[in-house]
């Protein structure tokens, strides 16, 4: 695995001389955050050895080298989902490549269903913790100690200092954010009403089909993580229960402006060692 990762790293280093320390995964409908990035190189996943291309509408697959607020960043425009049929090792491969490229911080965004009854579509939820309900674990199988430990600690999966920085930026710019627990599930079906209730009972505030695999792989190799859910629909509201992919994309649009500002300011002010 490490040899395969290093081949890809070699390829990417030959394509760009930039060596960013911060990576951003742009989730469903949040691609426009990329407009704030001054792009130096954009490489389609199809050209990158070992990368698979996403099959989902609205997830055009490109790896972007550029600067955000003058700071070098590596951005994934489009990501793979487990429901597309890929093995977990393919889904987390880009994260491992980023780690090997020298990335220290991974910032992730996703569109999610709201479980907390106080949430309304368009809310930005800072992910404080997650519950992993994927049927396959990204670290299943032999462990390569050069990448990380056999039994990684997940007690500090989402970096507390980065959450505090995000709250500070939101408050300074007078937009609301909330904090909560993200439930990661395989999809591709949205939840039944009973499932939304169940995920609420076990401690979830939002539910979605991504993020958890990437965060697990990143924490395994010591990369700090920061994640946000944009609430696209509120699961327990029967009226809003007819969820469609179009609806999800529309609601996430509302949050884009605030989220772009949040990520940009975080990148500007974050201390990465
Ligand atoms: N459930 C799971 N994933 C989602 C949802 C949802 O209600 N909305 C957007 N992504």
């Amino acid at each position: 695995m490490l040899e395969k990762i290093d081949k890809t790293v070699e390829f990417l280093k030959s394509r760009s001389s930039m060596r960013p320390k911060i990576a951003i995964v742009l989730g469903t409908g949040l691609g426009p955050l990329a407009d704030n990035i001054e792009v130096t190189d954009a490489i389609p996943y199809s050209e990158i050895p070992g990368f698979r291309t996403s099959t989902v509408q609205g997830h055009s697959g490109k790896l972007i080298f550029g600067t955000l607020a003058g700071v070098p960043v590596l951005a994934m425009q489009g990501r793979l989902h487990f429901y597309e049929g890929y093995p977990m090792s393919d889904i987390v491969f880009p994260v491992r490549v980023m780690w090997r490229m020298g990335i220290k911080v991974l910032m992730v965004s996703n569109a999610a269903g709201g479980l907390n009854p106080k949430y309304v579509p368009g809310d930005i939820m800072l992910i404080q913790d997650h519950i992993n309900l994927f049927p396959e674990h990204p670290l299943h199988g032999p462990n390569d100690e050069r990448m990380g430990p056999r039994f990684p600690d997940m007690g500090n999966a989402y970096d507390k200092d980065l959450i505090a920085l995000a709250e500070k930026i939101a408050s300074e710019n007078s937009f609301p954010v909330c904090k909560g627990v993200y439930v990661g599930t395989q999809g591709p079906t949205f939840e039944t009403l009973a499932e939304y209730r169940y995920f609420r009972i076990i401690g979830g505030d939002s539910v979605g089909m991504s993020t958890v695999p990437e965060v697990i792989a990143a924490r395994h190799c010591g990369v700090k993580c920061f994640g946000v859910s944009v609430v696209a629909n509120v699961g327990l509201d029967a009226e809003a229960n007819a969820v469609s992919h179009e609806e999800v994309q529309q609601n996430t649009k509302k949050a884009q402006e605030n989220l772009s500002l949040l990520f940009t300011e975080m990148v500007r002010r974050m201390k990465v060692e």
Side-chain angles (χ1 to χ4, degrees):
M1 177 56 81
L2 199 56
E3 288 66 34
K4 186 179 166 196
I5 292 167
D6 282 347
K7 260 180 87 178
T8 305
V9 169
E10 211 175 291
F11 166 83
L12 291 173
K13 284 187 169 171
S14 76
R15 286 289 298 259
S16 174
S17 56
M18 280 184 91
R19 299 292 177 259
K21 291 199 159 64
I22 302 171
I24 303 173
V25 179
L26 303 159
T28 300
L30 304 172
L33 184 64
D35 295 345
N36 283 14
I37 299 175
E38 207 146 313
V39 179
T40 47
D41 294 285
I43 312 170
Y45 293 162
S46 56
E47 291 177 17
I48 305 175
F51 270 49
R52 306 285 294 263
T53 49
S54 173
T55 60
V56 189
Q57 226 185 328
H59 286 265
S60 66
K62 264 185 284 178
L63 189 67
I64 296 169
F65 286 88
T67 56
L68 184 59
V71 180
V73 292
L74 190 56
M76 283 185 70
Q77 195 167 35
R79 59 142 72 95
L80 303 181
H81 299 82
F82 187 69
Y83 59 75
E84 293 177 80
Y86 303 110
M88 278 293 182
S89 54
D90 283 355
I91 291 166
V92 301
F93 183 75
V95 172
R96 291 174 163 160
V97 168
M98 287 171 162
W99 156 68
R100 209 61 174 163
M101 295 278 297
I103 292 298
K104 306 289 183 206
V105 177
L106 179 69
M107 301 174 78
V108 183
S109 66
N110 61 54
L115 301 169
N116 187 321
K118 294 197 184 113
Y119 290 0
V120 292
D123 275 355
I124 294 177
M125 186 193 95
L126 311 179
I127 304 178
Q128 231 172 355
D129 207 343
H130 74 220
I131 297 174
N132 177 18
L133 294 183
F134 281 90
E136 192 187 304
H137 198 284
L139 307 182
H140 179 93
N143 185 59
D144 188 335
E145 290 286 332
R146 293 171 296 176
M147 264 193 263
R150 172 72 286 188
F151 301 108
D153 178 40
M154 290 297 287
N156 191 29
Y158 298 85
D159 190 80
K160 291 188 177 57
D161 294 339
L162 293 177
I163 293 174
L165 177 62
E167 286 184 292
K168 189 159 182 270
I169 290 165
S171 135
E172 285 170 8
N173 291 279
S174 309
F175 65 84
V177 289
C178 41
K179 283 188 286 188
V181 175
Y182 176 83
V183 179
T185 178
Q186 65 173 315
T189 43
F190 291 113
E191 286 64 35
T192 63
L193 291 179
E195 286 164 345
Y196 281 123
R197 279 197 296 276
Y198 162 60
F199 290 155
R200 179 66 186 152
I201 288 165
I202 64 170
D205 294 289
S206 70
V207 55
M209 306 169 197
S210 66
T211 302
V212 166
E214 290 105 317
V215 167
I216 289 173
R219 293 307 299 143
H220 180 232
C221 49
V223 172
K224 279 187 190 174
C225 294
F226 171 78
V228 299
S229 281
V230 175
V231 176
N233 53 285
V234 178
L236 286 173
D237 178 352
E239 296 274 293
N241 195 43
V243 186
S244 68
H245 191 61
E246 292 71 43
E247 187 190 5
V248 169
Q249 290 196 318
Q250 246 175 28
N251 287 338
T252 52
K253 270 203 183 117
K254 292 184 211 156
Q256 276 171 18
E257 209 174 290
N258 290 340
L259 197 63
S260 294
L261 192 144
L262 180 66
F263 273 48
T264 307
E265 284 309 305
M266 284 185 76
V267 166
R268 193 198 308 278
R269 287 155 66 164
M270 184 185 300
K271 290 180 184 56
V272 187
E273 64 295 332

